[in-house]
Amino acid sequence: MGVRETFKENLKYWRNMANLTQEQLSELIGYGSGYISEIESRDIFPKPETIDAIANALKIAPSQLFESQGCPKNAIAFDKEKFVQEISDGLYEKLNAGMLDYFDSFAKKM
């Protein structure tokens, strides 16, 4: 993926993380309501000053708009099954320990 595509994907990601529409972000940086839409959907690339304004509006560093791991679509894929299994195992261990503690304290009362 090239720099422009990475930038566009990161822009979409960080804009969504900031809970902003394309129109809202365009207006925050002082452009017409369709400017961010044009960047995200076409081959329009902003000037450095505009990149700084976008980053400021999104409350991120400008470099985050260019990082290849900046958003899930660009990030290295992770193993979903392994992730879910690790979460499940952790929950099982906590539940199991909690139940054993509960039954131990219950048995002591008898």
Side-chain angles (χ1 to χ4, degrees), residues 24-88:
Q24 289 169 327
L25 182 54
S26 293
E27 291 171 8
L28 277 175
I29 63 170
Y31 282 82
S33 63
Y35 184 68
I36 296 297
S37 174
E38 290 179 22
I39 293 172
E40 290 182 2
S41 63
R42 299 196 340 211
D43 278 336
I44 294 173
F45 198 74
K47 296 184 278 187
E49 310 82 59
T50 307
I51 293 170
D52 287 340
I54 290 169
N56 286 335
L58 296 174
K59 297 179 175 63
I60 61 172
S63 62
Q64 289 178 270
L65 292 165
F66 295 95
E67 294 173 358
S68 61
Q69 284 93 12
C71 70
K73 190 168 183 177
N74 294 328
I76 297 169
F78 68 95
D79 185 346
K80 289 183 284 191
E81 278 110 14
K82 181 179 176 186
F83 178 74
V84 169
Q85 188 62 51
E86 288 174 0
I87 298 292
S88 297

Side-chain angles (χ1 to χ4, degrees), residues 12-27:
K12 289 176 194 177
Y13 173 76
W14 290 111
R15 180 179 54 74
N16 286 323
M17 292 299 291
N19 203 25
L20 293 170
T21 65
Q22 292 173 333
E23 294 79 20
Q24 289 169 327
L25 182 54
S26 293
E27 291 171 8

